Amino acid sequence: MSIITRFKDIMSSNINALLDKAENPEKMIDQYLRNLNRDLGKVKSETASVMAEEQRSKRALNECQEEMEKMERYAVKALEAGNEDDARKFLEKKGSLGTKLSELQASYQLASSNSLQMKQMHDKLVADIGELESRRNMLKAKWSVAKTQERLNKLGSSAADSSHSISAFGRMEEKVNRALDEANAMAELNAGPKDDIADLTAKYDDAPDVEDELAALKERMKNKG
């Protein structure tokens, strides 16, 4: 039956394997649920049809068996009445019904097998949908946490890069300071020896005569008096 072939993958599907392969489990589980619910509607309709066919096949088989038993009872009655020809006709009818019975038994076995497969598919779908619906919120929450952690990891990486940049800037600043110190030292060395005696004589040459200034100040004060 085409419906059985069409839904073979449903029987062999593994939810965890599908989610493991999904790049976005949150979207995957919603899409899978939509697909399953759509498939469930088809399976329910087809399952009802197959189960009805099984019941019809079973009813036809039972009717044929009852008819054969009926022909045998009439054959017995005909013999009891001394009508062997009538009994032979009833048994011939039973024999033809026997051929029909074999065909009906084969049809019923096929219908029963199809019905069993459809029931299994239906139950598998219902179980999968129930499992996914119960796990959907949990999986979405986990996915949200995972994405948040991923963003935090990226921010942490940026902070680490910033620390590296600051450290590198500090090393450059230290290098510049060292170069400046070396330049100042070199300038001091290039300036030549300092003449301390010249500075010392200049100090005394330029120094004012305090005693002379004191005498002049006294003279001005006396004149004013």
Side-chain angles (χ1 to χ4, degrees), residues 60-61 64-65 68 94-110:
L61 179 62
C64 185
Q65 289 174 330
M68 289 178 65
K94 179 185 175 183
S96 64
L97 289 173
T99 301
K100 181 180 179 181
L101 181 68
S102 297
E103 295 174 353
L104 291 175
Q105 285 174 335
S107 296
Y108 172 70
Q109 288 176 357
L110 179 59

Side-chain angles (χ1 to χ4, degrees), residues 19-85:
L19 293 177
D20 288 341
K21 295 177 182 179
E23 293 182 3
N24 189 333
E26 185 177 1
K27 292 182 179 179
M28 178 66 182
I29 194 170
D30 286 338
Q31 183 59 48
Y32 193 56
L33 268 173
R34 286 193 292 270
N35 293 344
L36 285 179
N37 278 297
R38 184 186 63 245
D39 293 341
L40 180 59
K42 297 176 182 178
V43 169
K44 279 186 175 181
S45 176
E46 194 66 23
T47 299
S49 176
V50 171
M51 289 177 67
E53 180 60 30
E54 179 189 17
Q55 292 173 357
R56 285 193 295 270
S57 296
K58 180 64 174 176
R59 186 165 54 251
L61 179 62
N62 291 338
E63 289 174 354
C64 185
Q65 289 174 330
E66 291 173 358
E67 187 67 14
M68 289 178 65
E69 293 171 359
K70 179 180 177 181
M71 291 300 101
E72 185 172 341
R73 290 197 301 270
Y74 275 108
V76 170
K77 289 182 179 180
L79 286 176
E80 289 175 346
N83 297 322
E84 187 173 327
D85 289 340

